[in-house]
């Protein structure tokens, strides 16, 4: 049956781009279905690994121990290879530049968390030390990040608002209510330190369990929308510092809207000195950063605008005494030296666990995403799971020293890389610069206005706000990604960053489900002269084999999209197999009634003729000598076969079915579930009982094994139905049809073949007739 060979000349393949007729591609082989292929090519026996094999793999050798140690402590691998003469000068320049920026960003980001600015310096110092030993990225500047700080600040302000620390006092004229800032700041520092510790524990556990893949679910459009919303929230939180107007602390749903309303309601109380300082700082930072970007090939070291602006603003504030003369808001107090470590408050874990998980994932995802960009640029690799461990240990250390969660800032990392940083040595030098600021320079920055720090933060948000320009591009490339970006951004602004991230994640997974649930279902045709089959709607000069429908479903098949497959089949073939079967059954039932009444009987050539009563659509047989005795026909033993595409002798409209074979192209089916396999069996049965043959082509071994495990194969559905390619199935079908053209099994309109002739009349009720018709039609 499958011994014949086919030869295909599938066109000319060009080895030279300018030559399209260099080589001919020809194939000559037998037609293979799965059964004959298994006979021809023996399968390998796959033996599962035993416990002994697993123990051998886990056995410890000196090489394996060294490899594991280097993976856990990457510094052992890269530090001995460090080229001191070539790289150290570059790392020194980069470390000093990055350290100055990190010092100022630490002070500014502390305002986002709602803790005293001195803790921002600690947060720019401590996480660098563990990462220097455990990290795998050479260019990340580890420390606070605006988005992460904003997420932490949202939680800190919720748990320790000003209203919890109000003090009532009497003045000479009226009663005034004041905030116990010492108690409030102590509570907020404890919360932020505990939160950082818990984030570190979560990250360390995820890294130990090798769950670095979890960030794959944070798609780029989701991260883009989320970080843009976070930038907007940071902007609003810093806007009140630029205006220096009194506002309430809002958190949760619509907190950004309420804060904006408060700011504009009190806009008349704006401190002019702070507003002018903030605007000048913002303009200076934006202009200089634009110059740095435009002339980065000329400038070996970017202009440290933040450092320059801070020095100038501090000098002006100190010389003019802005605090006393204009009531400007200044930093006031920056502690010198380090505070002793403080144990986290484990009683807060239950309240912080949910936010800690989301903050930890976001901090890690941002850092790894940035790290991968620079790793690709400089031709090295970073280990995602080891990064989880490195950031986990860093944040645990931060928790003990009341710092806030570590990640990386895009602008700070760009400075470290663009100024020539080669390795983590640049990071440790930046930590030394921050250390100098903590020990000696902190007091010098006390006159600095908070509006200047706020303006520096806002200026560094430019890159995040520019992500809005990604929406038109995403819309052109993939509308689902654009919708995900906008939804995540809007949800994060309205619901808050934590709930917004969760909503964006759920919505992103939902879009994947929707896309999988409604995949494309195409009808394929043959490219003339080849064994190639392409979508008939997408290409011209594609030929559909007569009577054959080739259906390609581009997705895995599971319980959620099996109805889509059924609807796609109906749309392509042009009929509903269940409806066709029901109509044919109804027609058979009426024909049997006529046979029972003797109004139809058979001749030797199978043509039915009427007796007495006219039936529309039925031709008389003019050969009277060939008539059989209708009294001798046993209806129970009569097999009725009908050409359903011709006119039938009863008034029942039966849909015409011109398709005799359906071939499913399974080349893009990646998985199946139990429901899909059961549904496929039903589809096969429905098509087979209306005389439509069904085959499957190009099925992968994994999908074939899954169908085998789920009980697809039985006495009817065998491996013969599976072909290696679509062309095999088409050639086999045409071969079978050609072999059957020598005789017509359907005797013109209706053929009654008499198998037993008995003299007794058999009484059969209508229900028995219908059941018998269904059984014979199904067979």
């Amino acid at each position: 049956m499958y011994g014949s060979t086919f030869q295909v000349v599938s066109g000319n393949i060009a080895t030279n781009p300018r030559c399209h007729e260099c080589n001919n591609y020809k194939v000559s082989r037998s037609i293979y279905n799965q059964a004959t292929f298994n006979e021809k090519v023996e399968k390998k026996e796959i033996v599962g690994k035993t416990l002994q094999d697993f123990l051998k793999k886990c056995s410890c050798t000196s090489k394996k121990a060294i490899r594991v140690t280097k993976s856990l402590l990457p510094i052992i691998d890269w530090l001995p290879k460090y080229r001191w003469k070539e790289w150290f000068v570059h790392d020194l320049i980069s470390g000093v530049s990055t350290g100055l920026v990190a010092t100022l960003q630490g002070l500014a980001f502390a305002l986002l968390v709602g803790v005293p600015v001195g803790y921002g310096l600690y947060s720019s110092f401590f996480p660098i030390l563990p990462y220097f030993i455990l990290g795998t990225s050479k260019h990340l500047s580890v420390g606070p990040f605006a988005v992460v700080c904003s997420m932490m600040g949202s939680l800190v302000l919720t748990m320790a608002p000003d209203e919890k620390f109000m003090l009532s006092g009497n003045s000479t004229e009226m009663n005034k209510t004041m905030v116990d800032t010492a108690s409030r700041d102590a509570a907020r520092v404890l919360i932020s330190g505990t939160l950082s510790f818990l984030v570190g524990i979560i990250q360390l556990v995820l890294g130990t369990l090798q769950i670095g893949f979890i960030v794959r679910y944070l798609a780029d459009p989701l991260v883009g929308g989320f970080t843009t919303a976070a930038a907007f929230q940071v902007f609003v939180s810093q806007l009140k510092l630029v205006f220096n107007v009194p506002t309430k602390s809002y958190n949760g749903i619509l907190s950004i809207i309420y804060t904006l309303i408060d700011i504009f309601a009190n806009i008349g109380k704006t401190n002019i000195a702070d507003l002018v300082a903030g605007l000048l700082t913002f303009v200076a930072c934006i202009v200089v950063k634009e110059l740095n970007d435009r002339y980065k090939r000329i400038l070996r070291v970017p202009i440290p605008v933040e450092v320059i602006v801070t020095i100038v603003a501090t000098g002006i504030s100190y010389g003019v005494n802005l605090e006393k003369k204009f009531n400007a808001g200044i930093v006031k107090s920056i502690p010198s030296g380090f505070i002793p470590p403080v144990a986290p408050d484990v009683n807060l874990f239950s309240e912080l666990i949910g936010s800690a998980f989301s903050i930890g994932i976001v901090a890690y995802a941002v850092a790894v995403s940035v790290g991968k960009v620079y790793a690709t640029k400089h031709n090295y690799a970073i280990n995602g799971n080891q990064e989880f461990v490195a950031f986990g240990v860093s944040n645990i250390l931060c928790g003990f020293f009341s710092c806030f969660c570590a990640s990386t800032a895009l602008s700070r990392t760009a400075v470290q890389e663009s100024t020539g940083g080669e390795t983590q040595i640049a990071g440790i030098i930046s930590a030394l610069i921050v250390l100098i600021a903590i020990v000696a320079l902190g007091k010098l920055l006390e006159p600095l206005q908070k509006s200047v720090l706020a303006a520096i933060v806002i200026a560094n948000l430019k890159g995040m706000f520019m992500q809005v320009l990604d929406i038109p591009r995403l819309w052109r490339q993939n509308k689902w990604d654009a919708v995900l970006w906008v939804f995540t951004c809007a949800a994060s602004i309205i619901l808050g960053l934590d709930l917004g991230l969760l909503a964006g994640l759920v919505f992103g997974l939902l879009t994947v489900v929707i896309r999988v649930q409604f995949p494309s279902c195409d009808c394929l045709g043959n490219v003339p002269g080849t064994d190639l089959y392409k979508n008939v709607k997408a290409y011209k000069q594609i030929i559909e084999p007569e009577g054959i429908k080739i259906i390609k479903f581009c997705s895995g098949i599971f319980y959620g999209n099996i109805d889509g497959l059924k609807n796609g089949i109906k749309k392509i073939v042009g009929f509903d197999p269940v409806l066709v079967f029901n109509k044919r059954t109804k027609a058979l039932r009426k024909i049997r009634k006529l046979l029972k009444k003797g109004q139809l009987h058979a001749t030797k050539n199978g043509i039915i003729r009427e007796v007495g009563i006219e039936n529309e659509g039925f031709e008389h047989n003019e050969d009277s000598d060939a008539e059989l005795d209708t009294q001798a026909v046993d209806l129970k033993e009569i097999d009725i076969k009908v050409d359903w595409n011709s006119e039938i002798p009863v008034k029942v409209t039966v849909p015409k079915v011109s398709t005799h074979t359906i071939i499913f192209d399974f080349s893009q089916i990646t998985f199946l579930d139990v429901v899909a396999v059961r549904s496929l069996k039903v589809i096969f049965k429905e098509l087979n009982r209306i005389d439509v043959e069904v085959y499957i082509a190009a099925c992968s071994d994994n999908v074939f094994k899954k169908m085998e495990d789920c009980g697809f194969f039985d006495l009817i559905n065998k491996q013969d139905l599976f072909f290696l390619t679509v062309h095999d199935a088409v050639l086999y079908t045409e071969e079978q049809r050609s072999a059957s053209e020598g005789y017509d099994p359907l005797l013109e309109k209706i053929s009654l073949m008499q198998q037993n002739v008995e003299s007794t009349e058999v009484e059969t009720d209508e229900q028995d007739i219908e059941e018998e018709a269904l059984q014979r039609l199904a067979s």
Side-chain angles (χ1 to χ4, degrees), residues 8-25:
V8 177
V9 181
S10 64
N12 299 313
I13 299 179
T15 55
N16 187 329
R18 298 182 179 180
C19 177
H20 298 283
E21 298 183 358
C22 296
N23 293 313
N24 287 328
Y25 168 64

Side-chain angles (χ1 to χ4, degrees), residues 346-461:
V346 294
N347 297 322
L348 297 175
F349 281 7
S350 59
E351 299 179 61
L352 300 176
I353 184 67
S355 297
F357 187 84
S358 59
I359 291 172
I361 294 299
V362 171
Y364 169 80
V366 171
V368 171
S369 299
V370 175
K372 284 183 177 180
V373 170
Y374 290 108
T376 303
K377 182 178 179 180
H378 294 276
N379 298 317
Y380 67 92
I382 63 174
N383 186 329
N385 290 309
Q386 181 62 24
E387 289 295 295
F388 249 141
V389 172
F391 278 102
V393 175
S394 297
N395 284 316
I396 289 174
L397 182 64
C398 287
F400 281 113
F401 285 93
S402 304
C403 306
F404 31 90
C405 181
S407 180
T408 186
L410 282 66
S411 58
R412 198 169 60 243
T413 300
V415 169
Q416 180 166 320
E417 190 270 342
S418 62
T419 51
E422 298 285 352
T423 64
Q424 292 93 320
I425 294 289
I428 207 68
I429 293 174
S430 69
L432 293 177
I433 300 299
V434 178
L435 177 62
I436 294 172
I438 294 173
V439 175
L441 300 180
K443 290 292 182 182
L444 298 178
L445 296 174
E446 289 182 352
L448 181 63
Q449 292 169 271
K450 291 183 179 179
S451 63
V452 173
L453 293 176
I456 292 174
V457 171
I458 294 173
N460 279 284
L461 298 176

Side-chain angles (χ1 to χ4, degrees), residues 23-243:
N23 293 313
N24 287 328
Y25 168 64
K26 297 181 180 180
V27 175
S28 179
R29 63 171 176 81
S30 300
I31 299 174
Y32 284 124
N33 66 6
Q34 191 65 45
T36 55
F37 183 78
N38 290 343
E39 294 176 2
K40 183 85 173 179
V41 181
E42 186 178 356
K43 270 190 173 183
K44 290 183 178 180
E45 184 179 356
I46 300 176
V47 180
K49 292 184 178 180
T50 63
L51 179 61
Q52 186 177 3
D53 296 331
F54 179 76
L55 293 176
K56 286 182 179 180
K57 186 178 179 180
C58 295
S59 60
C60 184
T61 62
S62 58
K63 291 183 178 181
K64 189 176 293 185
I66 294 173
R67 186 171 64 250
V68 171
T69 303
K70 286 183 177 181
S71 66
L72 294 176
L73 298 172
I75 190 174
I76 298 176
D77 184 39
W78 65 263
L79 190 57
K81 303 174 184 177
Y82 188 80
R83 304 173 188 173
W84 291 93
K85 292 183 180 180
E86 297 179 35
W87 293 346
F88 183 72
V89 174
H90 297 286
D91 282 338
L92 179 63
I93 296 172
S94 175
V96 172
S97 303
T98 307
L100 294 174
V101 176
T103 300
L104 297 175
Q105 286 189 347
L107 294 173
F109 292 160
L111 302 177
L112 297 177
V113 183
V115 298
V117 292
Y119 291 91
L121 296 178
Y122 304 150
S123 302
S124 297
F125 173 76
F126 282 108
I128 298 176
L129 305 180
Y131 191 86
F132 174 73
I133 299 172
L134 301 172
T136 59
S137 174
K138 299 178 181 180
H139 295 91
L140 279 185
S141 176
V142 181
F145 177 46
V147 173
V148 176
C149 292
S150 183
M151 294 179 70
M152 293 186 67
S154 176
L155 182 62
V156 168
L157 294 177
T158 300
M159 297 181 64
D162 290 343
E163 291 76 10
K164 276 190 176 182
F165 304 94
M166 304 303 293
L167 294 175
S168 297
N170 294 323
S171 67
T172 56
E173 298 181 358
M174 60 178 182
N175 290 333
K176 289 186 178 180
T177 303
M178 297 181 297
V179 178
D180 185 359
T181 55
S183 300
R184 181 199 65 186
D185 291 344
R188 290 179 177 179
V189 167
L190 181 61
I191 293 171
S192 65
T194 303
L195 180 59
S196 297
F197 179 83
L198 190 55
V199 167
I201 292 293
I202 292 173
Q203 290 178 331
L204 183 60
V205 170
L206 293 178
T208 304
L209 297 178
Q210 306 288 298
I211 311 183
F213 68 87
I214 195 171
V215 296
R216 298 175 188 172
Y217 295 99
L218 297 177
D220 288 344
L222 184 147
V223 173
F226 174 76
T227 51
T228 303
F232 182 70
Q233 181 160 334
V234 170
F235 170 76
V236 173
S237 66
Q238 298 305 289
L239 195 61
K240 61 184 180 182
L241 295 175
V242 173
F243 287 101

Side-chain angles (χ1 to χ4, degrees), residues 244-501:
N244 194 8
V245 293
T247 59
K248 295 181 180 179
S249 297
Y250 296 101
N251 297 286
I253 299 175
L254 298 178
S255 60
I256 295 179
I257 308 300
Y258 294 142
T259 302
L260 282 173
I261 293 174
D262 246 12
I263 291 173
F264 288 105
N266 297 298
I267 198 73
K269 302 178 182 179
T270 300
N271 187 294
I272 301 300
D274 286 329
L275 177 61
V276 171
L279 290 177
L280 291 176
T281 301
F282 175 77
V283 172
C285 289
I286 291 295
V287 171
V288 176
K289 284 179 178 293
E290 188 65 28
L291 292 174
N292 283 337
D293 290 338
R294 183 169 298 183
Y295 299 105
K296 59 184 177 182
R297 295 183 179 179
I298 300 175
L299 298 172
R300 184 176 181 182
V301 177
I303 301 173
V305 60
E306 291 95 343
V307 177
I308 297 172
V309 167
T310 302
I311 294 174
V312 172
T314 304
I316 293 174
S317 177
Y318 178 78
V320 180
N321 199 359
L322 293 177
E323 181 189 12
K324 291 184 178 180
K325 290 185 178 181
F326 299 97
N327 195 28
I330 64 172
V331 173
K332 286 186 179 179
S333 176
I334 297 179
S336 297
F338 293 99
I339 60 172
V342 178
D345 187 357
V346 294
N347 297 322
L348 297 175
F349 281 7
S350 59
E351 299 179 61
L352 300 176
I353 184 67
S355 297
F357 187 84
S358 59
I359 291 172
I361 294 299
V362 171
Y364 169 80
V366 171
V368 171
S369 299
V370 175
K372 284 183 177 180
V373 170
Y374 290 108
T376 303
K377 182 178 179 180
H378 294 276
N379 298 317
Y380 67 92
I382 63 174
N383 186 329
N385 290 309
Q386 181 62 24
E387 289 295 295
F388 249 141
V389 172
F391 278 102
V393 175
S394 297
N395 284 316
I396 289 174
L397 182 64
C398 287
F400 281 113
F401 285 93
S402 304
C403 306
F404 31 90
C405 181
S407 180
T408 186
L410 282 66
S411 58
R412 198 169 60 243
T413 300
V415 169
Q416 180 166 320
E417 190 270 342
S418 62
T419 51
E422 298 285 352
T423 64
Q424 292 93 320
I425 294 289
I428 207 68
I429 293 174
S430 69
L432 293 177
I433 300 299
V434 178
L435 177 62
I436 294 172
I438 294 173
V439 175
L441 300 180
K443 290 292 182 182
L444 298 178
L445 296 174
E446 289 182 352
L448 181 63
Q449 292 169 271
K450 291 183 179 179
S451 63
V452 173
L453 293 176
I456 292 174
V457 171
I458 294 173
N460 279 284
L461 298 176
K462 176 191 171 185
M464 295 185 190
F465 282 125
M466 294 301 291
Q467 292 179 124
V468 175
L469 300 178
D470 292 341
I471 299 177
R473 176 182 58 83
L474 290 174
W475 183 261
R476 291 191 301 269
Q477 295 174 348
N478 190 325
K479 292 180 174 56
W480 281 113
D481 288 341
V483 172
L484 176 60
W485 195 105
V486 173
F487 177 87
T488 305
C489 183
S492 299
I493 291 174
I494 295 172
L495 302 177
L497 294 179
D498 48 355
L499 293 179
L501 177 63

